[in-house]
């Protein structure tokens, strides 16, 4: 089977990483797999580093007739049978490319939440109704999408995680030591680019609250500035200084050794204001970490409404601190959540199981 993935984004986050991962998985499964992306972007560089086939085109965010012509020619020349969009914004340039090519199966990963908007006009109906399936990551997201978009053909397939790369291993005391964290310290970690929406400020504020009663607790913010956030790291550093948290809270730059970092933590924290279906949360579950997430977006579904991990209110450092305190004060609960986390990852989010469902769709085998 010949498969194409399309992602015009110039950023490098979970969405973009997922597009490269899908290109690689189809290739490893024995299919002819290409990705259409913009030149000299993180996606393009990742494809080249992994020896995957890239086709590059310069495109704008919405209408881009030259890009549409290029995509159409690639679909024809490469005899593509299934096309996947990884950002639904790209439907504006992909849909016209499919005119007169009804044999190509067309899928879109809906990785963002749509809320309180309506895109059911005639133009959007023409764009979206060409999709064979829109792939929603959760039941919660599907409900919002159905309310906002002219789509009635959904498939709910979650993100997947490599449960061999991410798994419980002996604690990485070498990483902890490099951060000034002692073996007896209890370490909470937030892994992700510094971003206001990721709850970085609330994480620091919660740390200040916890340290009043649990001085042996430690905290790590792992990840550099988000592109476009400017000097947000300065705001974080200023907050650390104002609370006198120079040694208790570690602030690192972006790291690639995330499986090792996971194994250095005692608890993973994701206080994002709203995440659709965060890959890093799945990686934490697969690593067997007790997790704390916010009661918003797709996170409650991943954490089984608080059974697989703790939930706190979004944008509330007090609620986050309360969840942290529960784990500090209840070692038995911490161990229970460790076991549930790993079991959930193996049962529902193992990448092999998830990809098998996507591969079935690509082959035109619809439920």
């Amino acid at each position: 089977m010949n498969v194409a993935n399309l992602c015009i984004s110039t950023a490098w986050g979970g969405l973009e990483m997922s597009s490269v991962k899908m290109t690689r998985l189809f290739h490893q499964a024995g299919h002819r797999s290409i990705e259409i992306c913009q030149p000299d972007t993180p996606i393009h560089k990742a494809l080249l580093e992994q020896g995957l086939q890239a086709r590059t085109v310069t495109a704008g965010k919405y209408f881009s007739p030259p890009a549409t012509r290029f995509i159409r020619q690639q679909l024809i020349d490469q005899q593509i049978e299934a096309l996947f969009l990884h950002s639904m914004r790209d439907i504006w340039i992909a849909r016209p490319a499919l005119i007169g090519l009804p044999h190509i199966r067309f899928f879109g990963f809906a990785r963002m939440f749509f809320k309180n908007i309506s895109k059911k006009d005639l133009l959007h109906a023409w764009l979206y109704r060409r999709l064979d399936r829109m792939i929603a990551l959760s039941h919660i997201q599907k409900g919002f999408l159905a309310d906002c978009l002219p789509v009635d053909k959904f498939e709910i397939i979650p993100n997947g995680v490599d449960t061999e790369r991410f798994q419980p291993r002996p604690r990485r005391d070498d990483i902890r030591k490099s951060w000034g964290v002692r073996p007896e310290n209890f370490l909470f970690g937030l892994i992700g680019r510094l971003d206001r929406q990721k709850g970085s400020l609330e994480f620091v504020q919660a740390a200040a609250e916890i340290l009043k009663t649990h001085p042996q607790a430690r905290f790590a913010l792992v990840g550099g500035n988000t592109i476009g956030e400017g000097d947000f790291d300065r705001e974080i550093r200023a907050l650390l200084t104002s609370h006198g948290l120079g040694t208790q809270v570690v602030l690192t730059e972006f790291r690639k050794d995330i499986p090792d970092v996971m194994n250095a933590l005692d608890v993973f924290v994701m206080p994002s204001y709203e995440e659709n279906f965060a890959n890093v949360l799945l990686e934490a579950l697969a690593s067997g970490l007790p997790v704390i997430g916010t009661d918003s977006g797709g996170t409650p579904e991943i954490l089984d409404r608080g059974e697989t991990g703790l939930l706190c209110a979004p944008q509330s450092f007090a609620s986050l601190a309360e969840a942290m305190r529960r784990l500090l004060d209840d070692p038995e609960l911490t161990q229970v959540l460790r076991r549930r986390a790993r079991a959930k990852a193996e049962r529902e989010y193992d990448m092999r199981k998830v990809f098998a469902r996507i591969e079935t769709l690509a082959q035109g085998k619809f439920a």
Side-chain angles (χ1 to χ4, degrees), residues 123-350:
L123 177 56
H124 282 91
W126 179 79
L127 288 169
Y128 282 93
R129 285 177 182 164
R130 174 61 176 82
L131 289 170
D132 287 278
R133 291 290 188 278
M134 176 172 278
I135 302 171
L137 302 177
S138 67
H139 291 84
I140 293 173
Q141 184 199 25
K142 176 191 170 183
F144 285 120
L145 291 170
D147 289 341
C148 298
L149 299 176
V151 178
D152 57 10
K153 294 178 289 186
F154 288 95
E155 193 78 23
I156 299 175
I157 302 179
N159 287 340
V161 62
D162 186 337
T163 55
E164 294 181 0
R165 182 168 179 245
F166 291 91
Q167 61 174 290
R169 292 187 175 92
R171 195 172 73 176
R172 290 300 299 265
D173 284 323
D174 56 331
I175 294 177
R176 292 165 65 97
K177 184 178 180 180
S178 72
W179 293 343
V181 178
R182 298 179 177 179
E184 66 270 20
N185 294 138
F186 195 93
L187 180 60
F188 295 90
L190 189 167
I191 300 175
R193 298 167 298 169
L194 289 177
D195 189 309
R196 203 172 303 277
Q197 298 296 316
K198 298 291 186 184
S200 305
L201 292 173
E202 287 79 6
F203 181 78
V204 173
Q205 292 168 323
E209 284 297 305
I210 289 296
L211 287 165
K212 294 176 182 178
T213 55
H214 297 78
Q216 291 301 312
R218 293 295 182 268
F219 307 84
L221 277 161
V222 181
N225 249 350
T226 298
I227 296 174
E229 279 291 323
D231 296 331
F232 185 58
D233 62 330
R234 294 186 183 180
E235 189 172 345
I236 292 292
R237 294 179 191 279
L239 186 61
L240 291 173
T241 299
S242 68
H243 284 294
L245 302 177
T247 59
Q248 298 98 328
V249 179
V250 180
L251 185 61
T252 83
E253 292 302 318
F254 173 79
R255 297 180 64 128
K256 292 185 177 181
D257 58 339
I258 299 304
D260 295 331
V261 171
M262 287 289 186
N263 291 131
L265 304 178
D266 292 303
V267 173
F268 173 77
V269 182
M270 194 183 76
S272 301
Y273 295 175
E274 186 170 75
E275 291 278 358
N276 183 16
F277 214 91
N279 288 328
V280 70
L281 180 57
L282 305 187
E283 292 166 358
L285 294 177
S287 300
L289 283 175
V291 301
I292 301 172
T294 45
D295 192 5
S296 64
T299 301
E301 191 167 316
I302 297 173
L303 299 183
D304 300 312
R305 308 290 175 181
E307 291 297 316
T308 300
L310 301 186
L311 294 172
C312 64
Q315 302 185 58
S316 171
F317 74 86
S319 179
L320 176 57
E322 181 181 353
M324 290 177 169
R325 196 172 288 112
R326 281 188 65 189
L327 295 178
L328 283 163
D329 294 339
D330 192 342
E332 184 177 346
L333 175 61
T334 300
Q335 294 304 316
V336 167
L337 292 181
R338 285 184 183 278
R339 293 192 294 271
R340 290 178 181 174
R342 178 64 186 181
K344 179 76 181 282
E346 291 180 324
R347 183 174 66 250
E348 297 186 25
Y349 303 132
D350 184 282

Side-chain angles (χ1 to χ4, degrees), residues 63-109:
F63 290 115
S64 183
T68 293
R69 288 194 296 270
F70 177 85
I71 293 167
R72 179 180 177 81
Q73 198 59 52
Q74 289 297 314
L75 296 177
I76 295 171
D77 292 347
Q78 306 300 322
Q79 300 181 337
I80 296 301
E81 300 164 71
L83 171 63
F84 288 87
L85 302 185
H86 291 268
S87 170
M88 291 312 304
R89 177 184 290 172
D90 295 342
I91 199 169
W92 291 89
I93 59 175
R95 172 62 181 94
L98 289 166
I99 294 174
L101 303 175
H103 62 285
I104 297 179
R105 294 179 287 278
F106 188 36
F107 306 97
F109 285 98

Side-chain angles (χ1 to χ4, degrees), residues 28-46:
Q28 291 173 341
H31 304 290
R32 187 162 187 271
S33 178
I34 68 169
E35 179 154 356
I36 302 171
C37 61
Q38 299 217 56
D40 301 319
T41 58
I43 293 175
H44 185 206
K45 294 173 183 177

Side-chain angles (χ1 to χ4, degrees), residues 109-124:
F109 285 98
R111 302 193 184 280
M112 305 295 290
F113 260 56
F114 285 95
K115 281 186 177 181
N116 305 318
I117 59 174
S118 178
K119 295 188 177 184
K120 295 189 176 183
D121 55 88
L122 291 177
L123 177 56
H124 282 91

